[in-house]
């Protein structure tokens, strides 16, 4: 821990002095042959990989008009250059979004544009070489696909899409990343990111029932595989074990109990997150997601609710319908899918659940908007619901809440530094440095308002903050689930 030096936090967010090559050494561990094979990717660099990679790039551009527009339309205006948390935290110019895009754009130009074919030197076109591939492997694994840069780009160029395409090409020529690809293979084999088998999951849920009974005296159920339940909850598997995630799961259970709505978890679909999005693999995305449809049909539920997970919500909100729909077997009186925050907020709005806010009086709370929720999805039935709904829940169950600076929240939120398949210790230096802009904003509300708790609705953000907060002299226990706050304050019945 002491070897990684976190950037000094400053009040003004100055553009750092450039340090070319500062993060060239940062690379994740490569996926081994077995992991690659389980995902349908080659187990080593394929013969003629340069040609395979270039052809695949051509296919991706043909399939996605958006990708082609993103690659064709940058005018080098520079508006995105200082908007990436990884650039601000590392000072490496290749972490400027436009420079990251150019790693792929230069190859696209060389093989798929007139000027690039005949005058490569004039238009920054490059041959596909091992040196280029190594640069891709390093710097496309320094992009959390957070989309912050696209908010500031006048053309809406989305570096996340470019990064997904590059990672897909790398996996497809035999150069996949261990962390993401291993996790996807665990979901294929066992059903969740943690590789948690059904008996262990069942035991955990029974222990939680006992803990809540001991704490509150109330028999709150954590049902598993209950046929005919009203709601199937799919949530990141971190909610079953990790801290502070598990407090969120306890909060969901208490909300269902207080509202009198029957629900169940599923051992077949014991994972909401879907890392396939991070590597741009449509086939793996579908294969992971279909377990949720299968579980919903098998259990005969009428609704599906997604727990606190940023990218899982993006996948559910944006892609489920085309990936695993139609959902004509569910109750169309409710949103499909629905977020747990929408569910809880609706109950609050209708006075169906009540709180003792003073139960959270030891906390001065701020909220971290997660990237995939903020910039790639919505909640509720009005624009910006993804910002107002979680805050309304927090305000309903806490007396002390302060937002961070306006240029660091809502659609301009800064990534936690560990999203997009980078939440691995082989990338810890990047994660610590990339967290700097968020830590800067946090420091400000800590100093001005005495904030001592950061609530989030993303499993990755919670894990990332727990790991990096100490590098900035904050307690790792400062981070919590929004439904952890709900759990503390909700009234379950007479006397509690
Ligand atoms: S998508 Fe996010 S991480 Fe990637 S370049 Fe843009 S701002 Fe940086
Ligand atoms: S803001 Fe958009 S157009 Fe301008 S340099 Fe960045 S990607 Fe290119």
């Amino acid at each position: 821990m002491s070897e990684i030096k976190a950037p000094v936090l400053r009040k003004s967010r100055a553009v750092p002095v450039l340090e070319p090559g500062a993060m060239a050494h940062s690379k994740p561990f490569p996926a081994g042959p077995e992991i690659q094979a389980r995902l349908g990717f080659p187990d080593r660099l394929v013969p003629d990989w340069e040609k395979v990679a270039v052809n695949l790039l051509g296919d991706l551009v043909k399939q996605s008009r958006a990708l082609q527009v993103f690659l064709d339309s940058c005018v080098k205006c520079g508006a995105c250059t200082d908007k990436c948390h990884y650039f601000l935290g590392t000072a490496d110019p290749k972490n400027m979004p436009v420079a990251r895009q150019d790693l792929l754009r230069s190859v696209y130009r060389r093989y798929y544009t007139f000027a690039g074919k005949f005058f490569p030197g004039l238009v920054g076109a490059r041959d596909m070489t091992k040196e280029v591939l190594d640069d891709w492997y390093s710097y496309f694994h320094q992009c959390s696909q957070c989309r912050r840069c696209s908010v500031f780009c006048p053309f809406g160029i989305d570096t996340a899409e470019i990064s997904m395409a590059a990672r897909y090409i790398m996996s497809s020529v035999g150069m996949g990343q261990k962390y993401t690809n291993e996790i996807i293979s665990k979901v294929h084999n066992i059903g969740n990111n943690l590789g948690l088998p059904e008996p262990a999951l069942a035991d955990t849920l029974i222990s939680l029932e006992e803990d809540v009974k001991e704490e509150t005296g109330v028999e709150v159920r954590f049902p598993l595989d209950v046929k005919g339940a009203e709601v199937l909850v799919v949530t990141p598997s971190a909610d079953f074990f990790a801290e502070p995630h598990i407090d969120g799961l306890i909060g969901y259970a208490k909300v269902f109990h207080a509202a009198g709505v029957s629900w169940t978890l599923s051992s077949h679909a014991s994972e909401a997150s879907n890392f396939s999005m991070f590597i741009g693999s449509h086939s793996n995305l579908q294969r992971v997601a279909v377990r949720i449809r299968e579980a919903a049909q098998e259990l005969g539920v009428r609704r599906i609710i997604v727990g606190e997970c940023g990218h899982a919500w993006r996948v559910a909100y944006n892609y489920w319908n085309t990936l695993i729909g139609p959902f004509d077997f569910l109750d169309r009186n409710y949103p499909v899918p629905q977020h747990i925050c929408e569910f809880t907020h609706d109950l609050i709005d209708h006075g169906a659940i009540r709180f003792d806010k003073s139960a959270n009086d030891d906390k001065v709370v701020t909220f971290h908007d997660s990237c995939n929720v903020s910039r790639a999805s919505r909640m509720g039935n009005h624009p910006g619901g993804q910002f107002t709904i979680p805050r309304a829940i927090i305000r309903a169950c806490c007396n002390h809440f302060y937002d961070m600076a306006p240029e660091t929240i809502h659609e301009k939120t800064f990534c936690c530094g560990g999203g997009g398949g980078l939440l691995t210790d082989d990338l810890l230096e990047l994660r610590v440095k990339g967290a700097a802009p968020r830590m800067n904003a946090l420091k400000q509300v800590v100093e001005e308002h005495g904030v001592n708790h950061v609530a989030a609705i993303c499993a990755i953000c919670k894990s990332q903050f727990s790991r990096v907060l100490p590098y900035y002299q904050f307690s790792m226990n400062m981070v919590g689930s929004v439904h952890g706050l709900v759990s503390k304050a909700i009234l379950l019945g007479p006397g509690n």
Side-chain angles (χ1 to χ4, degrees):
M1 172 167 154
S2 55
E3 286 171 15
I4 297 173
K5 214 165 169 295
V8 177
L9 302 182
R10 297 177 208 287
K11 264 205 167 147
S12 64
R13 262 177 295 278
V15 177
V17 177
L18 298 188
E19 290 180 37
M23 291 299 284
H25 60 279
S26 176
K27 295 178 200 297
F29 294 149
E34 211 176 299
I35 294 170
Q36 282 285 99
R38 279 201 213 124
L39 269 58
F41 293 129
D43 59 4
R44 68 201 69 195
L45 212 50
V46 294
D48 240 354
W49 67 266
E50 297 92 335
K51 205 166 154 204
V52 177
V54 167
N55 288 344
L56 198 46
L57 174 57
D59 291 345
L60 292 177
V61 167
K62 258 190 229 141
Q63 286 158 19
S64 167
R65 182 91 180 111
L67 182 61
Q68 184 175 1
V69 170
F70 296 154
L71 292 174
D72 279 334
S73 52
C74 174
V75 295
K76 304 285 186 285
C77 72
C80 64
T81 50
D82 59 347
K83 303 304 185 295
C84 176
H85 51 291
Y86 290 124
F87 169 63
L88 294 172
T90 67
D92 189 321
K94 283 191 181 165
N95 275 329
M96 290 176 176
V98 60
R100 196 182 321 283
Q101 295 163 19
D102 275 353
L103 296 174
L104 189 80
R105 186 177 285 122
S106 56
V107 175
Y108 164 74
R109 284 210 171 125
R110 177 73 184 93
Y111 297 95
Y112 295 104
T113 66
F114 178 85
K117 277 179 191 163
F118 296 101
F119 313 103
L122 290 181
V123 294
R126 292 196 300 174
D127 288 341
M128 187 75 221
T129 63
K130 186 65 171 58
E131 193 193 348
V132 169
L133 187 69
D134 288 343
D135 243 12
W136 283 19
Y137 194 73
S138 184
Y139 288 99
F140 283 119
H141 290 115
Q142 298 187 45
C143 169
S144 56
Q145 304 173 347
C146 77
R147 311 182 83 214
R148 187 171 196 268
C149 48
S150 71
V151 171
F152 297 88
C153 172
F155 300 99
I157 294 173
D158 187 353
T159 318
E161 292 292 330
I162 293 173
S163 160
M164 287 170 195
R167 290 200 205 167
Y168 181 64
I169 294 170
M170 288 190 281
S171 269
S172 301
V173 298
M175 208 162 158
Q177 187 224 130
K178 179 173 185 255
Y179 172 66
T180 49
N181 292 11
E182 186 171 38
I183 279 183
I184 297 164
S185 81
K186 275 188 196 156
V187 182
H188 290 335
N189 280 0
I190 300 168
N192 52 63
N193 289 4
L194 297 181
L196 185 69
E198 192 271 339
L201 176 56
D203 282 353
T204 303
L205 298 177
I206 290 167
S207 310
L208 286 176
E209 287 181 357
E210 291 166 358
D211 291 350
V212 175
K213 175 83 195 291
E214 202 178 302
E215 180 206 327
T216 65
V218 179
E219 292 200 5
V220 173
R221 298 282 326 280
F222 288 75
L224 182 64
D225 294 333
V226 175
K227 287 199 174 179
E230 165 87 7
V231 175
L232 167 65
V233 172
V234 288
T235 203
S237 54
D239 279 2
F240 302 128
F241 267 109
E243 288 286 354
H245 312 59
I246 202 161
D247 298 332
L249 177 65
I250 295 170
Y252 317 156
K254 288 183 179 174
V255 169
F256 284 110
H257 176 95
V261 176
S262 69
W263 69 293
T264 187
L265 295 157
S266 157
S267 55
H268 182 63
S270 51
E271 184 60 69
S273 59
N274 195 332
F275 277 30
S276 318
M277 185 178 76
F278 302 147
I279 60 162
S281 171
H282 187 274
S283 59
N284 281 292
L285 195 67
Q286 188 168 45
R287 200 173 146 201
V288 169
V290 80
R291 300 176 77 101
I292 293 164
R293 180 190 174 88
E294 288 164 355
Q297 288 185 309
E298 167 68 19
L299 295 169
V301 297
R302 298 171 61 214
R303 302 163 67 179
I304 305 176
I305 290 181
V306 180
E308 294 186 4
C309 178
H311 82 279
W313 179 239
R314 178 182 182 182
V315 171
Y317 185 87
N318 287 308
Y319 309 134
W320 271 9
N321 206 37
T322 43
L323 273 181
I324 56 170
F327 289 99
D328 43 7
F329 60 95
L330 296 177
D331 186 339
R332 302 302 296 199
N333 290 312
Y334 297 96
V336 180
Q338 190 171 26
H339 194 281
I340 187 70
C341 285
E342 293 176 305
F343 178 70
T344 301
H345 182 253
D346 202 39
L347 293 168
I348 294 170
D349 254 8
H350 288 88
I353 50 174
R354 291 175 308 115
F355 299 98
D356 169 14
K357 291 165 80 156
S358 68
N360 281 316
D361 271 355
D362 57 328
K363 299 182 190 73
V364 183
V365 181
T366 193
F367 178 65
H368 166 72
D369 293 282
S370 302
C371 304
N372 278 304
V373 175
S374 304
R375 289 186 282 263
S377 73
R378 258 172 64 169
M379 281 183 204
N381 53 15
H382 63 276
Q386 71 272 36
F387 310 128
T388 56
I389 286 175
R391 285 173 172 80
I393 296 173
I394 294 171
R395 285 197 168 98
C397 58
C398 300
N399 281 312
H400 310 294
F401 174 77
Y402 296 94
D403 251 324
M404 288 181 268
E407 68 276 15
T408 73
I409 60 171
H410 292 193
E411 71 277 6
K412 291 180 188 158
T413 187
F414 275 112
C415 173
C416 62
L422 309 180
L423 190 76
T424 168
D425 274 3
D426 30 317
L427 295 175
L428 188 56
E429 180 189 0
L430 177 79
R431 289 167 54 194
V432 170
K433 292 181 173 174
R438 173 44 79 221
M439 294 296 120
N440 230 342
L442 177 61
K443 187 167 183 257
Q444 209 175 321
V445 285
V446 167
E447 288 174 353
E448 285 172 14
H449 303 292
V451 162
N452 60 11
H453 190 87
V454 188
I457 51 170
C458 172
I460 287 176
C461 299
K462 292 170 204 170
S463 299
Q464 160 73 354
F465 285 142
S466 301
R467 188 80 169 94
V468 303
L469 278 164
Y471 285 89
Y472 292 90
Q473 286 73 55
F474 296 122
S475 161
M476 67 182 288
N477 300 321
M478 257 182 106
V479 61
S481 304
V482 166
H483 276 78
L485 298 171
V486 169
S487 173
K488 279 270 177 246
I490 193 167
L491 296 175
L492 297 174
N496 43 68

